[in-house]
Amino acid sequence: MNKKPIVNAILIVLSLLMVGTMALQFAPGGTQTITQMVQGEQGTPAIKVNGQTITAEELREIQTNNPSPFAGQARPWMTTSAPC
């Protein structure tokens, strides 16, 4: 009995499963279920810092109201003219 078609079918199925799982792994959102990916994200994104929950809106407000302390400093490595 020739087992070549059976082996080919198994290899094709395994390769399709591998490609599918790689696509899910690199999909945005990390480890979400397929149902969550189809329905989309729900709720406000938030992180916990020292036990306090900070939402994305609060973080955006903090970033806009507090300018960078490095905003006025020159960056010598970013200049266009370099010494020869």
Side-chain angles (χ1 to χ4, degrees), residues 3-17:
K3 295 183 183 180
K4 188 174 181 179
I6 295 172
V7 172
N8 282 344
I10 291 172
L11 289 175
I12 289 171
V13 168
L14 288 175
S15 66
L16 290 174
L17 285 173

Side-chain angles (χ1 to χ4, degrees), residues 6-84:
I6 295 172
V7 172
N8 282 344
I10 291 172
L11 289 175
I12 289 171
V13 168
L14 288 175
S15 66
L16 290 174
L17 285 173
M18 185 179 72
V19 169
T21 54
M22 285 182 0
L24 285 176
Q25 181 180 5
F26 291 107
T31 57
Q32 290 183 337
T33 62
I34 295 173
T35 308
Q36 289 173 336
M37 289 176 65
V38 171
Q39 291 177 350
E41 292 186 19
Q42 297 181 3
T44 303
I47 58 172
K48 280 199 169 199
V49 178
N50 296 331
Q52 182 181 4
T53 304
I54 300 176
T55 62
E57 289 83 14
E58 291 172 346
L59 185 60
R60 193 174 306 116
E61 181 182 337
I62 291 169
Q63 288 175 340
T64 56
N65 291 337
N66 294 323
S68 172
F70 306 108
Q73 294 181 2
R75 299 181 184 122
W77 61 88
M78 301 278 293
T79 59
T80 56
S81 62
C84 294

